[in-house]
């Protein structure tokens, strides 16, 4: 049966619709043909599917063919059985007769002869040519027709219908349609049943030695084709799915060595959507088919049906899985296939699938979920294609132009190199190409990173290509690295990511033009590129792909097209992370082309994503690129912001030297000729908090000082030209904010700094810290960020809420100090004596306080003695205060009085103390030393004492 | 089978809040970038998948050559990926 494969495919391709044969007994076809053909295609034809359920086919195409037609006549009986799908599904017998005798003697026997073949589905259309005005003729026609009905129709089956040419009955055409479709349905059911029986028999023999997959295939595909012709695509698809399953079961039977295929020119161009790529008889092998071609053929048949079912999404979905699994098969046969066959096939397959699915896909026709999933698959296909394309480009020397980004590195560094049996060798007479490649390698020095960042470049290769290529060459033994590296010692440890082009840079022994010896010595990198390029030219037959790898410009164009395609589809599928990451790759290309504006926009999107989600390792990779763009674009605000963001990142992500470079850029710009002051939020870099412990307490009207801790994230000292800190009243938000200013420059050291700010008198209430603002040159910065205890001590970094702990409390006016006399006895006239004033601070610090003493008339401070002060508790320890006399100075501190004012010592600011004032009551009338109660007014003196706490 | 693993906890706001590299092999220098990139990208898959199942352990949701991403999603949509 396998011999019929070629014929089978030809017939299959030439017949794609159902055939209805017309037995024109009375030469009527030319008359009725037009009317019949107008019924095509049949609308809402009711057929049975494989599970014998009724299905309405919207449009069933068919063709009327006369039985005398050559197409139906020249068939051999055995072909009928093999290619049953092309046999007529119904036979219409066109007759007319105007005479009853004629009917009986001529027509009836003839008709009996025609319909004796029971296998055919037939019915008779009696055409009446009688004019309606001709009653006799009409009557005769009716008679003949009724006789016909009696002879050929049965109770079970109505097999006759009558067409009046001059005035067709209204329901004739519906009746005709019904009868045709009924015949088709019956034929279809019978044929399906037959094929199913045959297939069942064959399936049972599947594990027997006589099993022949080709036979099974022809039957199975015939059945699928029968369904396809009947527009029952769903059933046809199921047949192909079963066929695929059966093939995969039988193809890998152990012990049977089969050719895989894929060795012919042009095979690298995926044919997964082109079922007619190769004739089936060319890919047959023994009792089965070659895997390489046949699996693609089956997928092409399935996808064709899926497209007919308007399910491009499913084609993409199945296609992606198919490419992945087929790629694995290609890997296992890699050693016999042409160089990089797998990569090239995946590229062409992905592109073909993307092209076909996107052209069949119409937006808005499917549910949102399916739409998202479709774009996700398209994105995956683009990504896959992009990845393999990058690998090919790397092999021919464009690797230095590939961005060493996390996405490229993650994809390429874990993707193994191709494993050909023997790595391609350099062709003869390729010296000029090698020189060109060497020149390209030398020119493509890696772009130094901005800010002098010396990060180790991310690898794009699983291992050094130089080593891999030379290891796989037949004539070389592996491992002699010194030989490979032109006899030069290698600095440091060789790691996959460690400057892959070192070897090419240090060519000292190479003699351009002398390539004959390249068989024996290791190939240099440029030679590997040239060898790979030549090998790829042999592999690739697709002119577009060859063109895309022919020059750097063409490569970049294709690379950009694939990256954009992937990014665009990922965005549409709401996979923003995948999309934005690829936007970053587009930005890198834009940057390389000097299109900094576009690059900056894309980089901003990437940075916003990483920063928003807090993936700092990834952000640290991209942010310097954005900063560089902004610098080139003279976007001062953006550049400053980027520098600050770089400084705010985790310290471990950059070297201190690099962080210093960020800071110096900030300072340089701040002090440069910026046209306008640039506002900048440095909340992540400068944080602040009040002192730990209780808030500062002040009384209404009192000035004070407030010390604030400021944490600087800058790596070096930084000078702030001015600093403002707002205090927000907690009791009344309408009150606005009070700004504390420090106009003198403040130098912030890295880490914690404590600064003291003068606090002007405030209204009573509680205050919390608000916003820190300041200026560095022309840079106006602002920080909202509170530190709970400094970044180092903070372990609760999940908590971002604003601390509400008041830093300052200003109280209402109240007595702040209690002054009472220590002695209430009478004074001796004209005798110097000590008067004690007990000073008790009432929850208030008397630091810097000044006591004004006004003695009043008749009392004089004895200035020859110093005023003394001692702790009140010391005084209480003494047996009696009355015993105190001038000259006793236990634990006393001398104080000076000037113009009736005494400055309080610091030690007495918080504790109760006694101030001893030497006084003398003066009276001209009384003799010295006499005692009198006349100076009771002395108490009043202290009432006038006034404390001032000038702070 | 990879002999290195990266364990990461991602908050419901997609912010990584804990990260640990475990494994017996010598760490690749770019491992941090690699793992972060792969796990970050895997969140796209998680966001779709998490709502389609009532299971908390989503098993292997993504594969990057020999690196496999598996995710456990808590009721509060905190992700534990490795």
């Amino acid at each position: 049966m396998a011999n019929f494969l070629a014929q089978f495919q030809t017939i299959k391709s030439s017949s794609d619709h159902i055939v209805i044969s017309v037995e024109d007994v009375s030469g009527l076809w030319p008359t009725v043909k037009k009317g019949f053909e107008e019924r095509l295609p049949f609308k809402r034809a009711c057929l049975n599917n494989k599970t014998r359920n009724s299905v309405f086919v919207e449009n069933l195409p068919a063709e009327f063919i006369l039985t005398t037609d050559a197409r139906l006549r020249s068939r051999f009986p055995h072909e009928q059985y093999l290619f049953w799908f092309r046999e007529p599904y119904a036979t219409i017998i066109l007759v007319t007769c105007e005479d009853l005798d004629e009917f009986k003697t001529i027509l009836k026997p003839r008709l009996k002869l025609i319909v004796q073949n029971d296998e055919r589905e037939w019915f008779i259309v009696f055409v009446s040519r009688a004019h309606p005005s001709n009653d006799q003729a009409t009557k005769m026609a009716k008679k003949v027709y009724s006789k016909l009905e009696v002879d050929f129709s049965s109770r079970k089956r109505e097999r006759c219908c009558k067409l009046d040419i001059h005035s067709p009955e209204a329901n004739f055409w519906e009746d005709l349609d019904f009868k045709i479709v009924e015949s088709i349905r019956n034929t279809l059911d019978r044929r399906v049943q037959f094929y199913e029986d045959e297939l069942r028999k064959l399936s049972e023999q599947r594990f027997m030695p006589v099993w022949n997959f080709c036979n099974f295939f022809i039957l199975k595909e015939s059945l699928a084709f029968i369904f396809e012709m009947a527009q029952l695509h769903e059933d046809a698809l199921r047949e192909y799915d079963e066929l695929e399953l059966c093939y995969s079961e039988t193809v890998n039977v152990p012990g049977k060595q089969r050719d895989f295929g894929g060795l012919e020119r042009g095979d690298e161009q995926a044919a997964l959507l082109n079922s007619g790529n190769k004739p089936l008889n060319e890919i047959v092998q023994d009792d089965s088919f070659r895997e390489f071609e046949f699996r693609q053929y089956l997928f092409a048949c399935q996808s064709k049906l899926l497209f007919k079912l308007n399910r491009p999404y499913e084609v993409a979905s199945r296609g992606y899985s198919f490419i992945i699994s087929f790629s694995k098969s290609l890997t296992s046969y890699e050693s016999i296939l042409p160089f990089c066959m797998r990569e090239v096939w995946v590229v062409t397959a992905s592109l073909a699938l993307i092209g076909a699915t996107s052209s069949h896909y119409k937006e808005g026709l499917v549910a949102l979920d399916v739409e998202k999933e479709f774009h996700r698959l398209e994105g995956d296909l683009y990504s896959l294609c992009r990845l393999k394309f990058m690998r090919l480009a790397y092999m021919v020397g464009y690797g230095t132009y590939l961005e060493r980004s996390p996405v490229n590195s993650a994809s390429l560094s874990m993707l193994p190199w191709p494993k050909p049996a023997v790595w391609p060798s350099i062709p003869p007479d390729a010296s000029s190409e090698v020189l060109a490649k060497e020149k390209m390698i030398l020119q493509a020095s890696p772009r130094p990173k901005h800010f002098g960042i010396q990060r180790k470049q991310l690898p794009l290769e699983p291992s050094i290509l130089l080593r891999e290529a030379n290891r796989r060459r037949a004539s070389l033994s592996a491992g002699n690295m010194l030989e490979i590296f032109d006899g030069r010692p290698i600095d440091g440890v060789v790691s996959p990511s460690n400057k892959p082009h070192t070897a090419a840079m240090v060519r000292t022994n190479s003699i351009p033009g002398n390539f004959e010896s390249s068989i024996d010595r290791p190939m240099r990198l440029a030679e590997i590129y040239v060898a790979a390029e030549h090998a790829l030219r042999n592999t690739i037959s697709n002119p577009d792909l060859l063109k895309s790898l022919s020059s750097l410009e063409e490569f970049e164009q294709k690379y950009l097209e694939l990256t954009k395609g992937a990014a665009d589809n990922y965005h549409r599928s709401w996979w923003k992370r995948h999309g934005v990451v690829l936007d970053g790759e587009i930005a890198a290309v834009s940057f390389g082309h000097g299109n900094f504006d576009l690059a900056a926009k894309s980089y901003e999107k990437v940075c916003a994503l990483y920063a928003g989600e807090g993936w700092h390792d990834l952000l640290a990779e991209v942010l310097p690129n954005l900063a560089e763009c902004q610098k080139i674009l003279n976007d001062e605000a953006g550049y400053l912001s980027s520098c600050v963001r770089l400084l705010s990142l985790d310290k471990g992500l950059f070297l201190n030297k690099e962080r210093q470079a960020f800071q110096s850029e900030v300072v340089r710009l701040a002090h440069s000729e910026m046209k306008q002051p640039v506002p900048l939020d440095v909340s992540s870099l400068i944080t602040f908090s009040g002192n730990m412990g209780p808030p500062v307490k002040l009384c209404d009207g009192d000035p004070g000082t407030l010390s604030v801790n400021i944490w600087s994230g800058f790596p070096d000292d930084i000078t702030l030209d001015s600093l403002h800190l707002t205090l927000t009243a907690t009791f009344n938000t309408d009150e606005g904010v009070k700004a504390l200013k420090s106009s003198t420059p403040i130098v912030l050291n890295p880490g914690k700094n404590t600064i003291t700010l003068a606090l002007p008198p405030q209204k009573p209430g509680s205050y919390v810290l608000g916003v820190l603002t300041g200026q560095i040159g022309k840079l106006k910065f602002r920080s909202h960020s509170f530190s709970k205890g400094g970044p180092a001590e903070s372990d609760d970094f999940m908590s971002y809420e604003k601390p509400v702990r008041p830093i300052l409390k200003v109280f209402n006016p109240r007595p702040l100090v209690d002054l009472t006399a220590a002695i209430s006895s009478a004074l001796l006239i004209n005798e110097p004596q000590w008067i004690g004033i007990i000073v008790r601070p009432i929850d208030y610090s008397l630091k810097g306080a000044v006591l004004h003493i006004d003695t009043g008339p008749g009392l004089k401070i004895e200035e020859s003695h110093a005023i003394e002060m001692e702790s009140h508790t010391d005084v209480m320890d003494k047996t009696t205060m009355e015993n105190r006399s001038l000259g006793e100075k236990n634990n006393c501190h001398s104080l000076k009085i000037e113009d009736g004012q005494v400055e309080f010592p610091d030690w007495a600011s918080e504790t109760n103390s006694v101030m001893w004032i030497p006084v003398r009551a003066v009276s001209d009338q009384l003799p010295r030393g006499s005692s009198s109660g006349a100076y009771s007014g002395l108490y009043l003196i202290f009432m006038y004492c006034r404390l001032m706490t000038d702070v | 089978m990879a002999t290195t693993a990266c364990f990461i906890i991602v908050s419901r706001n997609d912010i990584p809040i804990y990260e640990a590299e475990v494994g017996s092999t010598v760490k690749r220098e770019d491992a941090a970038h690699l793992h972060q990139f792969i796990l970050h990208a895997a969140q796209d898959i998680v966001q779709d998948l998490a709502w389609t199942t009532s299971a908390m352990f989503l098993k292997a949701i993504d594969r990057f050559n020999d690196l496999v991403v598996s995710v456990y999603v808590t009721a509060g949509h905190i992700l534990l990926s490795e």
Side-chain angles (χ1 to χ4, degrees), chain A residues 568-809:
Chain A
D568 184 41
N569 277 293
Y570 279 136
H571 280 302
R572 287 185 186 196
S573 75
W574 300 10
W575 274 26
K576 60 173 180 179
R577 295 175 190 87
H578 282 71
V580 166
V581 161
L582 290 167
D583 281 340
E585 300 308 301
I586 299 167
V589 178
S590 306
F591 188 95
H593 289 175
N595 201 341
F596 302 113
D597 199 27
L598 215 59
K601 274 180 191 155
S602 296
Y603 276 136
E604 262 169 26
K605 275 198 267 180
V606 186
C607 290
L609 176 79
Y610 287 151
E613 298 189 345
W615 295 74
H616 286 175
D617 279 57
L618 302 176
L619 182 60
E621 196 64 33
V622 191
L623 198 49
N625 299 343
L626 172 63
E628 192 174 358
C629 287
Q630 289 165 328
K631 188 179 180 185
I632 295 169
L633 290 169
N634 223 8
D635 173 11
E636 288 161 344
Y639 184 52
L640 272 171
S641 161
S642 292
C643 290
V644 167
R645 282 162 77 186
L646 281 166
L647 283 165
S648 319
L649 289 177
D650 187 34
K651 287 188 179 64
L653 290 172
F654 291 105
L655 301 175
N656 202 41
K657 200 173 74 180
E658 291 158 3
R659 300 187 77 242
Q660 283 168 339
F662 305 151
Q663 180 178 344
S664 67
E665 283 295 275
V666 173
V667 175
R668 182 185 65 77
L669 261 182
H671 293 284
S672 70
E673 61 286 353
M674 282 198 295
K675 289 182 188 79
Q676 286 174 340
V678 176
L680 194 65
D681 191 330
V682 294
S683 299
S684 48
L685 197 57
I686 295 179
T687 58
F688 58 96
S689 75
N691 268 326
M692 300 302 279
V696 174
K697 290 174 182 170
L698 289 179
C699 273
D700 184 26
D702 279 351
T705 56
L706 184 69
S707 68
V708 180
N709 292 326
I710 298 181
W711 277 268
S712 162
F714 285 99
D716 280 340
D717 295 353
I718 186 152
T719 309
L720 311 180
D721 296 341
S722 65
L723 187 82
H724 298 235
L725 187 65
T726 58
L727 287 179
T728 312
T730 55
F731 58 94
N732 186 0
T733 47
D734 297 338
E735 198 65 25
V737 289
K738 314 275 180 185
L740 307 183
K741 290 179 190 173
S742 166
S743 13
T744 52
I746 293 172
V747 178
L748 286 186
N749 301 318
K752 184 178 173 182
N753 297 270
T754 304
I755 58 157
T756 307
L757 296 166
L759 195 62
Q762 306 289 332
K763 283 188 177 177
S766 293
Y767 293 87
V768 293
L769 288 175
V771 183
L772 180 81
T773 53
Q775 204 147 346
I776 306 171
K778 284 186 177 173
L779 168 70
K780 278 186 170 177
F781 65 85
R782 183 178 176 87
S783 170
H784 306 266
S785 200
F786 295 93
S787 299
K788 283 200 154 180
E793 302 140 48
S794 167
D795 52 354
D796 185 15
F797 53 84
M798 284 296 286
S799 171
Y800 296 109
E801 72 267 30
K802 188 174 169 180
V804 288
R805 194 172 66 81
I807 188 161
L808 170 70
K809 279 187 175 170

Side-chain angles (χ1 to χ4, degrees), chain A residues 191-202:
Chain A
R191 286 179 187 176
V192 167
Q193 188 62 50
F194 170 79
Y195 276 102
E196 280 188 337
D197 292 344
E198 289 296 308
L199 283 164
R200 195 173 306 114
K201 278 185 228 162
L202 270 181

Side-chain angles (χ1 to χ4, degrees), chain A residues 407 410-411 413-415 455-456 458-459 574-578 581 609-610 613-615 617-618 621 798, chain B residues 8 14-17 28-30 32-34 36-38 40-41 43-45 47-48 64-67:
Chain A
V407 58
S411 314
S413 70
M414 285 189 285
L415 185 72
R455 176 152 311 174
K456 197 156 209 167
L458 295 175
W574 300 10
W575 274 26
K576 60 173 180 179
R577 295 175 190 87
H578 282 71
V581 161
L609 176 79
Y610 287 151
E613 298 189 345
W615 295 74
D617 279 57
L618 302 176
E621 196 64 33
M798 284 296 286
Chain B
I8 202 159
D14 303 329
I15 299 168
I17 52 179
R28 275 173 63 156
E29 287 179 38
D30 58 319
H33 279 94
L34 195 69
Q36 277 222 357
F37 170 74
I38 292 171
H40 179 251
Q43 284 186 82
D44 274 337
I45 304 167
Q47 77 182 13
D48 286 355
F64 232 90
N65 294 306
D66 57 345
L67 296 177

Side-chain angles (χ1 to χ4, degrees), chain A residues 61-346:
Chain A
E63 188 185 1
F64 294 105
I65 298 180
L66 284 172
T67 46
T68 49
D69 193 294
R71 285 176 287 173
L72 293 183
R73 288 186 70 191
S74 61
R75 284 177 191 167
F76 300 106
H78 65 270
E79 285 182 7
Q80 281 187 354
Y81 155 72
L82 255 180
F83 311 118
W84 221 6
F85 48 83
R86 66 169 179 175
E87 296 303 316
Y89 279 69
T91 302
I92 302 173
I93 303 160
L94 279 175
V95 291
T96 187
C97 185
E98 285 149 10
D99 182 73
L100 214 52
D101 290 338
E102 187 191 335
F103 172 75
K104 279 181 186 167
T105 53
I106 302 169
L107 191 60
K108 189 178 159 186
R110 196 171 164 195
L111 287 179
K112 286 282 180 194
L113 198 67
I114 291 169
V115 302
Q116 69 181 357
N117 181 1
D118 275 347
E119 288 195 354
R120 280 197 298 182
E121 283 290 324
W122 56 270
F123 66 95
I124 300 167
V125 176
F126 180 82
V127 181
S128 165
R129 287 187 287 201
H131 200 272
S133 57
N134 188 345
D135 281 351
Q136 197 166 352
T138 312
K139 273 182 191 170
M140 186 51 76
K142 272 185 183 171
K143 269 187 187 171
V144 174
Y145 178 66
S146 55
K147 194 76 186 136
L148 190 75
E149 276 189 308
V150 169
D151 287 338
F152 293 97
S153 288
S154 66
R155 275 188 194 171
K156 285 185 186 170
R157 184 93 182 261
E158 182 72 38
R159 285 192 189 266
C160 302
C161 56
K162 181 160 149 273
L163 169 65
D164 287 319
I165 283 192
H166 297 293
S167 57
E169 282 180 37
N171 62 350
F172 167 76
W173 294 113
E174 282 75 28
D175 193 26
L176 180 76
D177 285 357
F178 176 79
K179 283 196 165 54
I180 294 175
V181 170
E182 186 187 26
S183 299
I184 291 172
R185 184 167 60 240
N186 292 339
T187 308
L188 182 68
D189 289 351
R190 198 160 58 240
R191 286 179 187 176
V192 167
Q193 188 62 50
F194 170 79
Y195 276 102
E196 280 188 337
D197 292 344
E198 289 296 308
L199 283 164
R200 195 173 306 114
K201 278 185 228 162
L202 270 181
S203 293
E204 283 163 7
Q205 302 167 357
R206 196 152 34 130
F207 299 108
M208 294 168 83
V210 291
W211 163 259
N212 186 321
F213 181 79
C214 292
N215 294 348
F216 181 80
F217 164 76
I218 290 179
L219 280 178
K220 195 78 173 164
E221 191 169 45
S222 298
L223 179 57
F225 194 61
I226 285 171
F227 284 128
E228 195 181 335
M229 280 169 75
Q231 307 297 305
L232 299 171
H233 301 306
E234 204 71 75
D235 295 284
L237 181 65
R238 196 168 301 124
E239 294 308 312
Y240 277 113
D241 288 350
E242 285 175 13
L243 191 56
E244 186 188 3
L245 204 67
C246 182
Y247 179 72
S248 57
E249 260 182 24
T250 53
V251 73
N252 293 321
V253 176
K256 274 204 170 184
Q257 285 293 321
R258 286 199 173 93
D259 284 346
F260 177 72
L263 296 170
E264 291 164 23
R265 179 83 179 154
D267 276 351
E268 94 297 343
Q269 292 195 59
L272 80 171
L273 293 171
N274 180 11
S275 58
N277 186 45
K278 277 187 192 176
L280 283 170
N281 57 322
E282 282 183 22
I283 64 167
V284 74
Q285 193 194 25
D286 301 335
D287 54 355
S288 188
F289 297 98
R290 281 205 304 256
E291 192 179 345
F292 180 82
E293 287 92 352
F294 190 66
R295 282 182 65 188
Q296 294 191 71
Y297 171 80
L298 282 181
F299 185 83
C301 294
Q302 289 165 333
S303 57
K304 191 175 83 178
L305 290 166
L306 285 168
F307 281 135
K308 283 186 177 171
L309 285 164
N310 203 16
R311 300 207 303 241
Y313 156 73
E314 212 173 318
V315 178
S317 163
R318 284 171 172 232
Y320 185 75
S321 309
F322 178 75
I323 291 175
I324 298 291
S325 80
F326 201 74
S327 173
K328 279 183 189 158
S329 300
L330 290 174
T331 310
S332 53
Y333 291 98
E334 202 171 2
S335 57
I336 55 163
L337 291 172
F339 183 64
C340 284
M341 172 81 173
R342 177 171 57 125
E343 284 76 7
V344 177
W345 185 88
V346 171

